[in-house]
Amino acid sequence: MNKIGLMLPRKYSQLGNDGLLAFVNNFLKEHFLPAIFVDYRKCVQQAISSPAAFRPRVNATSVYSSLVENGRPVLQGLLAVDIIAKEVLGWVQLMPIYAAELVEYVRTFLERTHERCRASYMEAVLEKQSYILLSRSDVESLMCLDPANASLQNSFGQLDNDIPDAGIEVEIELSDLLLDMCPIKQENLIHDDQKLILLASLSDSLEYLADSVERLGESFISPSTISENKSDIHQSHHTRTTSAIPKSLASLANEYRRLATDCVRVLRLEMQLETIYHMQEMTKREYVEDQDAEDPDDFIISLTTQIARRDEEMAPYIAESKRNYVFGGISSVAANASIKALALMKSINLLGVQQICRNSIALEQALAAIPSIDSEAVQQRLDRVRTFYELLNLPFESLLGFIAEQEYIFSAKEYLSILKVNVPGREIPMDAERRISQILSH
């Protein structure tokens, strides 16, 4: 220590060991820490601005894994920032009295990374109908109330498939709101599958970094891990700095999660709007068939092909519960659109009813093929379509009997639309509407 003291400038060497400590602290604060900040900031900037930073990894495994070492395809830019953040916070254990400064550096790096992630998100969704809808407070509120929202709280948790009645009401209300957007135009949808894959990958990568940031914060929270056997001066520093860590890092982790949630909500809305875009073709054609078709309608074939392709493309980049969330909103919108379509039809015959039932079966099979999907919920919603259209085949008295027993399955408006459409060979009495209204009013 004496030899080192002799190497110091005179104003420090005169003070002995206290002078040496003062010199080292001054050097660290004025020279070393600023150099660390500049160097690491440059590394972060390079990591998030390179062309490959936000490019989904092409060599992703076909099955999603929650562990990076097992092939979780975290975006390269975010993976690099995570490594840098861990490295900088590693200095906290070596220089605990500068924990506050080092944590502030990490917060700055993570804020800049979040800005870049948000810019990447906006590039994919700007001016698209799904993003515009998500910006509306009524849509956001309904999506938060939707039972499916539970899957966003825990990406790897098990979902509760029992949907309460209130949840079904929210589902129908949101579906009605989306159907009010008709006609949907293709240019208002995200038709570039690469952008959809980016949103899936970005969501998962943001979740990964949020988890990592929380773990980093927790690892430096306990003052005993740093201040044990230190001087009273050092302990006062540690109490101050370690209490600041959770606040700054936890709030950033929440921001990352919020953006991750926005990504998958846009994907869910996008798939629902795509469904409506295809299903609106239903109102443009006549369902008075002269022969029994073997295949579903072309728009259903196009929709089911698109669902299968997009699920296959997104599968490596997103957890199963989130896949269920993205594709799980299709059946409710398709069912609602199919039932509402009857009110816009002038005529439909027995073969037309069979064709619509064939369409719903094809859609159900396509959705059931997604491993993470709740098949029972899909079947329940699309069974409702088949039940509804098969009522057109019943004689009026049998229809009255069904309504008396099952009045709450469909709304009064839906039951009355069954009366108004022309079905060749079906006889409807003059007072049919009054008699149905009478049953429903009891």
Side-chain angles (χ1 to χ4, degrees):
M1 297 296 287
N2 290 337
K3 286 182 180 179
I4 294 171
L6 293 172
M7 296 165 63
L8 299 179
R10 185 171 176 79
K11 66 176 180 177
Y12 291 110
S13 61
Q14 288 177 330
L15 300 173
N17 286 348
D18 288 341
L20 175 60
L21 181 63
F23 173 79
V24 171
N25 283 338
N26 183 66
F27 173 76
L28 289 174
K29 192 164 188 175
E30 301 299 325
H31 302 282
F32 185 71
L33 288 175
I36 279 183
F37 178 70
V38 170
D39 286 350
Y40 280 116
R41 183 179 60 184
K42 185 178 178 182
C43 290
V44 168
Q45 191 58 38
Q46 288 175 340
I48 60 177
S49 60
S50 75
F54 288 87
R55 189 184 300 146
R57 284 158 58 179
V58 291
N59 60 340
T61 55
S62 57
V63 180
Y64 175 84
S65 171
S66 60
L67 301 173
V68 171
E69 53 268 33
N70 290 347
R72 184 174 182 176
V74 177
L75 290 167
Q76 189 174 313
L78 272 66
L79 200 56
V81 170
D82 180 51
I83 292 166
I84 292 167
K86 286 173 181 171
E87 200 170 305
V88 175
L89 286 178
W91 287 96
V92 171
Q93 293 175 324
L94 300 173
M95 302 184 295
I97 63 171
Y98 296 110
E101 288 84 350
L102 291 163
V103 168
E104 182 60 22
Y105 294 169
V106 171
R107 188 189 65 78
T108 304
F109 302 154
L110 291 173
E111 274 188 352
R112 178 69 191 95
T113 304
H114 182 270
E115 288 170 12
R116 181 67 184 86
C117 289
R118 181 144 199 95
S120 184
Y121 164 75
M122 290 304 298
E123 285 171 23
V125 302
L126 194 62
E127 297 182 356
K128 298 303 178 183
Q129 204 153 9
S130 51
Y131 170 69
I132 294 167
L133 278 167
L134 189 59
S135 305
R136 285 172 46 172
S137 58
D138 55 343
V139 175
E140 188 181 14
S141 297
L142 286 170
M143 293 191 86
C144 288
L145 291 170
D146 193 332
N149 192 57
S151 63
L152 302 183
Q153 310 308 316
N154 180 7
S155 300
F156 309 110
Q158 293 298 311
L159 296 184
D160 181 6
N161 292 334
D162 295 326
I163 299 175
D165 291 342
I168 293 171
E169 286 174 17
V170 168
E171 214 175 62
I172 292 171
E173 190 177 345
L174 184 56
S175 175
D176 285 344
L177 192 150
L178 296 177
L179 287 167
D180 287 342
M181 307 298 293
C182 286
I184 305 288
K185 295 179 180 177
Q186 192 169 27
E187 58 263 31
N188 295 330
L189 302 172
I190 303 173
H191 46 79
D192 182 355
D193 285 1
Q194 288 305 308
K195 287 185 177 179
L196 298 174
I197 293 168
L198 170 63
L199 288 171
S201 183
L202 182 59
S203 175
D204 187 64
S205 299
L206 286 162
E207 282 276 5
Y208 170 81
L209 197 52
D211 289 341
S212 182
V213 167
E214 283 181 347
R215 282 194 297 272
L216 284 170
E218 288 166 6
S219 66
F220 295 108
I221 289 171
S222 173
S224 63
T225 60
I226 301 173
S227 60
E228 198 173 7
N229 299 324
K230 302 291 181 182
S231 70
D232 290 338
I233 295 172
H234 286 182
Q235 283 178 10
S236 67
H237 274 295
H238 302 151
T239 304
R240 175 181 62 82
T241 57
T242 52
S243 64
I245 291 173
K247 286 182 183 178
S248 58
L249 295 189
S251 63
L252 265 171
N254 288 336
E255 288 298 314
Y256 275 83
R257 289 196 200 286
R258 196 170 291 119
L259 185 54
T261 298
D262 282 351
C263 288
V264 286
R265 281 188 175 153
V266 162
L267 288 172
R268 181 179 173 91
L269 284 170
E270 196 63 35
M271 291 311 303
Q272 289 177 315
L273 290 170
E274 277 284 0
T275 301
I276 295 170
Y277 170 74
H278 286 85
M279 296 297 292
Q280 66 194 9
E281 292 297 314
M282 195 172 172
T283 60
K284 297 176 185 177
R285 59 152 293 179
E286 291 287 330
Y287 280 96
V288 180
E289 309 285 353
D290 53 6
Q291 59 182 11
D292 193 9
E294 293 182 3
D295 297 319
D297 284 325
D298 288 345
F299 64 86
I300 289 290
I301 294 171
S302 174
L303 175 60
T304 54
T305 302
Q306 188 186 66
I307 290 169
R309 185 184 72 249
R310 287 186 173 179
D311 174 57
E312 186 181 350
E313 289 173 340
M314 286 188 212
Y317 300 98
I318 198 165
E320 279 207 356
S321 60
K322 286 193 175 180
R323 270 170 81 192
N324 180 56
Y325 181 77
V326 170
F327 295 97
I330 292 173
S331 58
S332 60
V333 168
N336 203 3
S338 298
I339 289 170
K340 285 184 181 297
L342 184 66
L344 301 173
M345 292 181 198
K346 292 179 181 177
S347 298
I348 184 170
N349 64 2
L350 177 62
L351 292 176
V353 169
Q354 287 178 359
Q355 184 64 16
I356 289 171
C357 291
R358 188 177 289 112
N359 287 347
S360 75
I361 290 169
L363 185 55
E364 182 184 325
Q365 289 172 341
L367 290 170
I370 299 172
S372 57
I373 209 91
D374 178 4
S375 301
E376 285 183 24
V378 170
Q379 184 181 4
Q380 182 186 346
R381 291 170 181 85
L382 294 172
D383 264 348
R384 193 168 176 268
V385 175
R386 295 189 281 274
T387 301
F388 181 73
Y389 276 91
E390 283 164 0
L391 293 177
L392 294 166
N393 297 333
L394 296 180
F396 179 70
E397 294 301 327
S398 299
L399 177 61
L400 279 183
F402 178 90
I403 294 171
E405 289 179 11
Q406 310 281 350
E407 59 180 297
Y408 298 114
I409 289 186
F410 302 105
S411 67
K413 189 176 179 182
E414 287 166 348
Y415 277 126
L416 292 175
S417 71
I418 292 172
L419 288 184
K420 290 175 181 176
V421 69
N422 175 48
V423 180
R426 183 179 68 163
E427 293 183 7
I428 299 291
M430 297 291 288
D431 62 346
E433 209 168 304
R434 180 188 62 78
R435 289 170 69 183
I436 286 180
S437 298
Q438 200 172 17
I439 293 171
L440 293 172
S441 62
H442 286 152

